[in-house]
Amino acid sequence: MLGARAWLGRVLLLPRAGAGLAASRRGSSSRDKDRSATVSSSVPMPAGGKGSHPSSAPQRVPNRLIHEKSPYLLQHAYNPVDWYPWGQEAFDKARKENKPIFLSVGYSTCHWCHMMEEESFQNEEIGRLLSEDFVSVKVDREERPDVDKVYMTFVQATSSGGGWPMNVWLTPNLQPFVGGTYFPPEDGLTRVGFRTVLLRIREQWKQNKNTLLENSQRVTTALLARSEISVGDRQLPPSAATMNNRCFQQLDEGYDEEYGGFAEAPKFPTPVILSFLFSYWLSHRLTQDGSRAQQMALHTLKMMANGGIRDHVGQGFHRYSTDRQWHVPHFEKMLYDQAQLAVAYSQAFQISGDEFYSDMAKGILQYVARSLSHRSGGFYSAEDADSPPERGMRPKEGAYYVWTVKEVQQLLPEPVLGATEPLTSGQLLMKHYGLTEAGNISPSQDPKGELQGQNVLTVRYSLELTAARFGLDVEAVRTLLNTGLEKLFQARKHRPKPHLDSKMLAAWNGLMVSGYAVTGAVLGQDRLINYATNGAKFLKRHMFDVASGRLMRTCYTGSGGTVEHSNPPCWGFLEDYAFVVRGLLDLYEASQESAWLEWALRLQDTQDRLFWDSQGGGYFCSEAELGAGLPLRLKDDQDGAEPSANSVSAHNLLRLHGFTGHKDWMDKCVCLLTAFSERMRRVPVALPEMVRALSAQQQTLKQIVICGDRQAKDTKALVQCVHSVYIPNKVLILADGDPSSFLSRQLPFLSTLRRLEDQATAYVCENQACSMPITDPCELRKLLHP
């Protein structure tokens, strides 16, 4: 396959360019890179930068994006570009006028999308070029992940990486012929400017259009062959033991012994890897590799929690760390990170018993409840990295989150009594969190000098060391630091807030339902389970079409906190169904309310109808009708920042089989795993969540049945015992003795299980054989965790 830069150079006669946003590393894809990526070596990516939002746009005549609901599209509504949303109107215009389509894809909290908008899309001359010689189309990648995935596959296959903003030139028939990521507006010594690219493509379209069309067809055909995922002539999936060991070895090779995490920098949380390591530990507990897997995951979670990637003042986690030490983050906060990390920290607490991890999980959920929650129960998508340092100033990355020594000293001047030397609470906090007069952000992470003298809070010492340094009691230090952080939090409320992407996505809401349900169940906190319940109610009320049984992909916050939809509605993709079904299964296990299980079954039936590939096995990412006209219909094969929807679906099918005994779902799971066999064999580390599903399928799930009244204390004690133990490959079933109940109708054997002496009684069933009845939570714990 011809590299994009060589191709760009050959087709457009351009000098070699270095301005693309590189997003490639071992075992990863663009989906788990900076969602606005990192600039290649010729243009170092700053930790700070400028953004643009509708409020700062000049008062111009709006373009047609003003009628859209997407916060990202609305950010471009006053560009001097004749933007179209993705749709037939734009495609018809391109065909009628025989013009190439310029497709630009991004999202509303993307730092480099802001940069390119400010530099290029607000430029009158560039706007004129785009409007006169191209049909310009803007896409919010979070609204249309299918469009993003198809053209990102093209960009990655024809260049050194991918990222956002993603800019691709298409034929009127939607086939790509040139693509890239961020372009600066003008040429530099080693960079091709956006204006130059537009002029050369315009020229080539006029003079060599047939060559462009032939190249486009050839590349599309090659991509189609390369991206095919199918059962083929394989009968069964690969050995789980082999895939597990190879995946673990690949992770072990890339592990950072000192700081945790994988690879050098930038470093991403990647919860799917941590989840795999915990599962690997459980099945290899008595081996050295098992202990190593546990240590790798726990150490990574601890280093992340102590680093600047966590917001120590307001809780929640930033997108990724720009350095190896988890110190200086890319400050954007995404809902899907919070959801998955809450589960990862809850699992770490189950495994270790260390309340440090449960505190982290609670902190994440506290942040989401405060900053990313709609009053009706839904969850917003993200908070931007950029914000103005003061009102009226240009936005800078991280401005909301960083501190100077002077600010902290003024906020925390109180003397600390009992210290061995003169000490204020501000000095204590600065010592513990590594703040310095000159700032603790390296110039290499701040090439534009926008964060000079600023500090990112990151834990430098244990509480014990800080206490010993000043001759103080550990609990006194803990209290002083917590009080100091609360004062910083209150002071930070007066700063201009980062932009909130108030779009709500079914998939990410599904992940967040899991985050609250799992954490609430593990910690025994009904309050958290209630957040999950309200999230599921929101999905059913606002993102589900009863008539068709389909999920909607998006809804939006309207005026006065109302919920609005686009017209026509944006229908759900595979990940919406997979993540919502997972959320509902987790919510059933946390609440024992069978209505959520019933809805999960109905959604799985709809998912199978809309997305299942009856020829090749596995699920397509989009409906055939929804993606009509796109050159590829893909199956996602990467567990990255979010798990692949096929990986999650494999787990869902196993669990649904455990809840219902329906053989069709087990057969589908085996077929799916077989279809992805080649990908797993080749790069198991790219699919750790699917390798986990493969293990669960080959080891069989435990069915843990609690016979009892849902509200009774003895029933709750047994349920809480189950939740306190890390058992990833299980289904938890409440049998209330009603033969007409939903689960009794699904699983007739439940009627044979009895309460012992009228007490709540547990049975652990595997391979259609059940344990002796157990009424004592301690005995149940021993059986579950020998």
Side-chain angles (χ1 to χ4, degrees), residues 49-53 56 386-389 393-397 399 450:
K50 297 175 178 63
S52 61
H53 302 287
S56 62
D386 298 5
S387 61
M393 294 179 70
R394 290 162 62 105
K396 294 182 181 180
E397 182 167 358
E450 293 180 325

Side-chain angles (χ1 to χ4, degrees), residues 637-709:
D637 60 354
Q638 181 87 27
D639 293 324
E642 303 158 65
S644 151
N646 270 287
S647 298
V648 172
S649 294
H651 284 280
N652 290 347
L653 291 166
L654 279 177
R655 293 172 77 183
L656 288 166
H657 175 260
F659 280 120
T660 65
H662 293 182
K663 184 173 179 293
D664 178 53
W665 279 330
M666 177 60 81
D667 292 344
K668 269 195 167 65
C669 178
V670 172
C671 183
L672 185 159
L673 294 168
T674 305
F676 282 84
S677 292
E678 189 54 38
R679 175 68 165 161
M680 275 193 281
R681 280 198 185 95
R682 206 167 64 246
V683 204
V685 76
L687 282 167
E689 188 72 6
M690 192 170 287
V691 173
R692 234 169 49 78
L694 179 69
S695 299
Q697 188 272 319
Q698 292 184 9
Q699 291 168 10
T700 73
L701 294 185
K702 283 185 172 75
Q703 290 170 307
I704 303 171
V705 183
I706 311 290
C707 299
D709 176 1

